[in-house]
Amino acid sequence: MSVTLTPRIHARVAAKITCVGAYAPPRLLTNADLEKMVTTNDQWIVERTGIRQRHLVDAGVATSDLAAAAARDCLAQRGIQASELDAILVATVTPDMMFPATACLVQEKIGAVGAWGFDLSAACSGFLYALQVGAKLIESGVHSKVMVIGADVMSSILDYTDRSTCILFGDGAGAVLLEPAVADEVGMVDFIHEIDGTGATSLYMPAGGSLHPATAETVATKMHFVHQEGGAVFKVAVRKMAELSEALLQRNGLTAADVDLFIPHQANKRIILATAERLGMPEEKIVINIGEYGNTTAGTIPLAMHTALQEGRLKKGMTVLLAAFGGGYTIGSTLLRWE
Ligand code: UT7
């Protein structure tokens, strides 16, 4: 005999970001340090990438530690307990382990008793993807407090004898809290995301998964490190971030002139400026903090939001455009009103 079931459907509400937390480990790796490790120089790195230094973890510190620190910072600013969280989403390509999910480790570290969550793997677009998933949990009416974290310890998968990759990345984490918008608040407006697997081997870590499990040979042939075709990735990154951002603005009846602040993924200052130029976005509207952190993969956008808040550049009522590009390829663009 069938029982009567009632779907748990909730009224749709809008989602908004209510606070931003950040954490970068204190140890610095400067361009001068890198000059002693590989054949490179400060001038080349600054001119080609805009990076001056990166923050790196000490041995024994993992992605969950950075993620938990950023989450604690976020909770403290909002003045709420971790036990009030409904869900924790962690975007990362450098989880502490293949499993369990880093979200579980963060849940335990911050004491978010009763929360659920999971990891999301979309490389440098991971934070934007997790932000949208988190927003949908709020918009469904099912949840009222979702912590979205972008965190990576890129130093754990870098070959510090390969000058084409080791100069680019750093370690760091950012976290935002998503909650329902109230009254006339707008919050999250719209997004366009796209994945393109034709770029799968242009930026990747070949081994350690089911295709090439770890063996003495995969270690000897450096298959557990980041491999990148820098030039190819550069061109697609600029074209696709501009294309999706343009389409997103257009379908919302906006132009670059209507955007108050552009917060892009921080992979290379030249990529950011070329993308902005295509969009017709003037430099004073762009948040760039790559000089301080390098490319922290899923951490860049929340870290850049944090920088913008600290500098007083991100204010209530602003129309904000976010854009990311990463390994996969993964591409994303998000439009929101800062509440
Ligand atoms: O986060 C997601 C995605 N990742 C990215 O968006 C990264 C995309 N790519 C890039 O940012 C750039 O392609 C790089 C920064 C990786 C490289 O810059 P580039 O302007 O594309 O340089 P290149 O690879 O064309 O190399 C130019 C020259 C080469 O020497 P030759 O062949 O001209 O003699 C390289 O060997 O610069 C050399 N080079 C370096 N020189 C000093 C490459 N790396 C270095 C280095 N220091 N670290």
Side-chain angles (χ1 to χ4, degrees):
M1 205 176 76
S2 70
V3 293
T4 304
L5 294 173
T6 309
R8 194 171 146 81
I9 296 172
H10 301 255
R12 192 187 176 283
V13 291
K16 64 170 177 177
I17 294 172
T18 55
C19 60
V20 182
Y23 181 77
R27 184 162 68 96
L28 297 179
L29 181 71
T30 64
N31 291 351
D33 296 328
L34 280 162
E35 284 177 4
K36 295 175 204 136
M37 297 159 68
V38 287
T39 309
T40 191
N41 58 79
D42 176 57
Q43 191 188 349
W44 191 97
I45 299 174
V46 172
E47 280 176 5
R48 299 288 181 126
T49 71
I51 303 169
R52 296 183 181 278
Q53 61 175 35
R54 313 111 195 102
H55 293 247
L56 297 196
V57 297
D58 289 320
V61 178
T63 296
S64 67
D65 297 308
L66 274 51
R72 280 190 206 104
D73 182 28
C74 193
L75 290 167
Q77 286 180 49
R78 185 75 181 91
I80 63 165
Q81 300 298 313
S83 55
E84 293 177 55
L85 295 177
D86 298 303
I88 301 165
L89 311 188
V90 179
T92 187
V93 289
T94 52
D96 289 25
M97 294 165 259
M98 284 288 277
F99 76 92
T102 303
C104 301
L105 308 173
V106 173
Q107 180 275 332
E108 195 272 333
K109 283 181 178 167
I110 65 173
V113 180
W116 72 295
F118 53 89
D119 288 4
L120 186 154
S121 172
C124 298
S125 306
F127 176 77
L128 283 198
Y129 286 19
L131 187 66
Q132 286 305 334
V133 175
K136 300 306 151 206
L137 293 175
I138 299 288
E139 289 165 11
S140 71
V142 170
H143 286 331
S144 61
K145 286 184 175 52
V146 177
M147 181 70 75
V148 177
I149 305 169
D152 272 298
V153 173
M154 293 305 291
S155 62
S156 65
I157 55 169
L158 287 176
D159 174 3
Y160 281 98
T161 66
D162 174 11
R163 69 178 183 175
S164 73
T165 52
C166 74
I167 58 141
L168 297 171
F169 298 92
D171 304 336
V176 301
L177 185 67
L178 284 167
E179 295 184 70
V182 292
D184 58 350
E185 290 178 340
V186 178
M188 306 293 292
V189 176
D190 196 7
F191 72 98
I192 299 180
H193 290 167
E194 215 175 283
I195 57 173
D196 174 8
T198 61
T201 56
S202 297
L203 173 50
Y204 73 138
M205 189 176 90
S210 57
L211 180 63
H212 298 296
T215 62
E217 196 191 340
T218 61
V219 172
T221 54
K222 302 190 169 188
M223 287 172 73
H224 297 271
F225 292 131
V226 172
H227 291 249
Q228 175 173 237
E229 292 166 20
V233 174
F234 189 111
K235 287 190 198 106
V236 192
V238 172
R239 181 169 58 80
K240 290 302 294 184
M241 277 199 292
E243 202 177 290
L244 262 59
S245 298
E246 185 72 53
L248 182 66
L249 291 176
Q250 231 173 50
R251 85 174 181 196
N252 285 277
L254 304 176
T255 68
D258 300 307
V259 174
D260 298 306
L261 209 57
F262 178 44
I263 309 182
H265 168 53
Q266 313 279 314
N268 184 321
K269 191 173 177 184
R270 288 187 299 136
I271 292 179
I272 295 172
L273 295 179
T275 305
E277 194 184 335
R278 284 192 185 209
L279 287 169
M281 192 78 68
E283 211 172 325
E284 61 269 18
K285 287 188 182 179
I286 316 171
V287 178
I288 302 177
N289 67 355
I290 191 170
E292 155 92 14
Y293 297 107
N295 181 351
T296 56
T297 301
T300 60
I301 290 180
L303 278 172
M305 281 178 177
H306 192 259
T307 297
L309 284 168
Q310 278 189 324
E311 292 174 351
R313 294 179 65 198
L314 181 52
K315 297 183 197 131
K316 184 170 169 56
M318 279 188 158
T319 300
V320 179
L321 180 70
L322 313 175
F325 182 90
Y329 295 127
T330 58
I331 315 113
S333 187
T334 291
L335 185 65
L336 59 96
R337 170 72 48 85
W338 196 259
E339 306 295 357

